[in-house]
Coordinates of all heavy atoms in Angstrom, one line a residue:
M936 N 117.4 -44.0 -35.8 CA 116.2 -43.6 -36.5 C 115.9 -44.6 -37.6 O 114.7 -45.0 -37.7 CB 116.4 -42.2 -37.1 CG 115.2 -41.6 -37.7 SD 115.4 -39.9 -38.3 CE 115.7 -39.0 -36.8
A937 N 116.9 -45.1 -38.3 CA 116.6 -46.1 -39.3 C 116.1 -47.4 -38.7 O 115.1 -48.0 -39.3 CB 117.9 -46.4 -40.1
A938 N 116.6 -47.8 -37.6 CA 116.1 -49.0 -36.9 C 114.6 -48.8 -36.4 O 113.8 -49.7 -36.6 CB 117.0 -49.3 -35.7
E939 N 114.4 -47.6 -35.9 CA 113.0 -47.3 -35.4 C 112.0 -47.4 -36.6 O 110.9 -47.9 -36.5 CB 112.9 -45.9 -34.7 CG 113.6 -45.9 -33.4 CD 113.8 -44.5 -32.8 OE1 113.3 -43.6 -33.5 OE2 114.3 -44.4 -31.7
Y940 N 112.4 -46.7 -37.7 CA 111.5 -46.7 -38.9 C 111.3 -48.1 -39.4 O 110.2 -48.5 -39.8 CB 112.1 -45.8 -40.0 CG 112.0 -44.3 -39.7 CD1 112.7 -43.4 -40.4 CD2 111.2 -43.8 -38.7 CE1 112.7 -42.0 -40.2 CE2 111.1 -42.5 -38.4 CZ 111.8 -41.6 -39.1 OH 111.7 -40.2 -38.9
A941 N 112.4 -48.9 -39.5 CA 112.3 -50.2 -40.0 C 111.4 -51.1 -39.2 O 110.5 -51.8 -39.7 CB 113.7 -50.9 -40.0
V942 N 111.5 -51.0 -37.8 CA 110.6 -51.8 -37.0 C 109.1 -51.3 -37.1 O 108.2 -52.1 -37.1 CB 111.1 -51.7 -35.5 CG1 110.1 -52.4 -34.6 CG2 112.4 -52.4 -35.4
L943 N 108.9 -50.0 -37.2 CA 107.6 -49.5 -37.3 C 106.9 -50.0 -38.7 O 105.7 -50.4 -38.7 CB 107.5 -48.0 -37.3 CG 107.8 -47.4 -35.9 CD1 107.9 -45.9 -36.0 CD2 106.5 -47.6 -35.0
L944 N 107.7 -50.0 -39.7 CA 107.2 -50.5 -41.1 C 106.9 -52.0 -40.9 O 105.9 -52.4 -41.5 CB 108.2 -50.2 -42.1 CG 108.4 -48.7 -42.6 CD1 109.5 -48.6 -43.6 CD2 107.1 -48.2 -43.2
A945 N 107.8 -52.7 -40.3 CA 107.6 -54.1 -40.1 C 106.3 -54.4 -39.3 O 105.7 -55.5 -39.5 CB 108.8 -54.7 -39.3
R946 N 105.9 -53.5 -38.4 CA 104.7 -53.7 -37.6 C 103.5 -53.1 -38.3 O 102.4 -53.0 -37.7 CB 104.9 -53.1 -36.2 CG 105.9 -54.0 -35.4 CD 106.0 -53.5 -34.0 NE 106.8 -54.5 -33.2 CZ 107.8 -54.2 -32.4 NH1 108.1 -53.0 -32.2 NH2 108.4 -55.2 -31.7
G947 N 103.6 -52.8 -39.6 CA 102.4 -52.4 -40.3 C 102.2 -50.9 -40.5 O 101.2 -50.5 -41.2
K948 N 103.0 -50.0 -39.9 CA 102.8 -48.7 -40.1 C 103.2 -48.2 -41.6 O 104.1 -48.9 -42.2 CB 103.7 -47.8 -39.2 CG 103.3 -48.0 -37.7 CD 102.1 -47.2 -37.5 CE 101.7 -47.2 -36.0 NZ 100.5 -46.4 -35.7
K949 N 102.6 -47.1 -42.0 CA 102.9 -46.6 -43.4 C 104.0 -45.5 -43.3 O 104.1 -44.9 -42.2 CB 101.7 -46.0 -44.1 CG 100.6 -47.1 -44.4 CD 99.4 -46.4 -45.0 CE 98.3 -47.5 -45.2 NZ 97.1 -46.9 -45.8
V950 N 104.8 -45.3 -44.3 CA 105.8 -44.3 -44.3 C 105.2 -42.9 -44.0 O 105.7 -42.2 -43.2 CB 106.5 -44.2 -45.7 CG1 107.5 -43.0 -45.7 CG2 107.3 -45.5 -45.9
S951 N 104.0 -42.6 -44.5 CA 103.4 -41.4 -44.3 C 103.0 -41.2 -42.8 O 102.9 -40.0 -42.4 CB 102.1 -41.2 -45.1 OG 101.2 -42.3 -44.8
E952 N 102.9 -42.3 -42.1 CA 102.5 -42.2 -40.7 C 103.8 -42.0 -39.8 O 103.7 -41.4 -38.7 CB 101.8 -43.5 -40.2 CG 100.5 -43.7 -40.8 CD 99.9 -45.0 -40.4 OE1 100.4 -46.1 -40.8 OE2 98.9 -45.0 -39.7
I953 N 104.9 -42.4 -40.3 CA 106.1 -42.4 -39.4 C 107.1 -41.2 -39.8 O 108.0 -40.9 -39.0 CB 106.9 -43.7 -39.4 CG1 107.5 -44.0 -40.8 CG2 106.0 -44.8 -38.9 CD1 108.4 -45.2 -40.8
V954 N 106.9 -40.6 -40.9 CA 107.8 -39.5 -41.3 C 106.9 -38.3 -41.4 O 106.2 -38.1 -42.3 CB 108.4 -39.8 -42.7 CG1 109.3 -38.6 -43.1 CG2 109.2 -41.1 -42.7
P955 N 107.0 -37.4 -40.4 CA 106.2 -36.2 -40.3 C 106.4 -35.2 -41.4 O 105.5 -34.6 -41.9 CB 106.5 -35.6 -38.9 CG 107.9 -36.2 -38.6 CD 108.0 -37.5 -39.2
D956 N 107.7 -35.0 -41.8 CA 108.1 -34.0 -42.8 C 108.2 -34.7 -44.1 O 109.2 -35.4 -44.4 CB 109.4 -33.4 -42.4 CG 109.8 -32.3 -43.4 OD1 109.1 -32.0 -44.3 OD2 110.9 -31.8 -43.3
Q957 N 107.2 -34.6 -44.9 CA 107.2 -35.4 -46.2 C 108.0 -34.7 -47.3 O 107.6 -34.3 -48.3 CB 105.8 -35.5 -46.7 CG 105.0 -36.6 -45.9 CD 105.5 -38.0 -46.2 OE1 105.5 -38.5 -47.3 NE2 105.9 -38.7 -45.2
R958 N 109.3 -34.6 -47.1 CA 110.2 -34.1 -48.1 C 110.4 -35.3 -49.1 O 110.4 -36.5 -48.7 CB 111.5 -33.7 -47.5 CG 111.4 -32.3 -46.8 CD 112.8 -31.8 -46.3 NE 113.3 -32.6 -45.2 CZ 114.5 -32.4 -44.7 NH1 115.3 -31.4 -45.2 NH2 115.0 -33.1 -43.7
K959 N 110.7 -35.0 -50.4 CA 110.9 -36.0 -51.4 C 112.1 -35.8 -52.2 O 112.7 -34.7 -52.3 CB 109.7 -36.0 -52.3 CG 108.3 -36.2 -51.7 CD 108.1 -37.7 -51.4 CE 106.7 -37.9 -50.8 NZ 105.6 -37.8 -51.7
I960 N 112.7 -36.9 -52.7 CA 113.8 -36.8 -53.6 C 113.5 -37.8 -54.8 O 112.9 -38.9 -54.6 CB 115.1 -37.2 -52.9 CG1 116.3 -37.0 -53.9 CG2 115.1 -38.7 -52.5 CD1 117.7 -37.1 -53.2
N961 N 113.8 -37.3 -56.0 CA 113.5 -38.2 -57.2 C 114.7 -39.1 -57.4 O 115.9 -38.6 -57.6 CB 113.3 -37.3 -58.4 CG 112.8 -38.1 -59.6 OD1 113.4 -39.1 -60.0 ND2 111.7 -37.7 -60.1
N962 N 114.5 -40.4 -57.4 CA 115.6 -41.4 -57.5 C 115.6 -42.0 -58.9 O 116.2 -43.0 -59.1 CB 115.5 -42.5 -56.4 CG 114.4 -43.5 -56.7 OD1 113.4 -43.2 -57.4 ND2 114.6 -44.7 -56.2
G963 N 114.8 -41.4 -59.9 CA 114.8 -41.9 -61.2 C 113.6 -42.9 -61.4 O 113.3 -43.2 -62.5

């Protein structure tokens, strides 16, 4: 899944387009 997301982002997709469930975590 990480490889698929990385390649999609590399090809110009946005995170909001490739991650259907928009859960969030605060990383500071």
Side-chain angles (χ1 to χ4, degrees):
M936 189 177 290
E939 288 170 1
Y940 287 166
V942 173
L943 286 170
L944 289 173
R946 289 186 169 134
K948 291 286 186 180
K949 296 179 180 177
V950 171
S951 59
E952 295 177 293
I953 64 175
V954 181
D956 181 6
Q957 283 291 300
R958 288 186 289 179
K959 299 284 181 73
I960 187 169
N961 192 306
N962 77 334

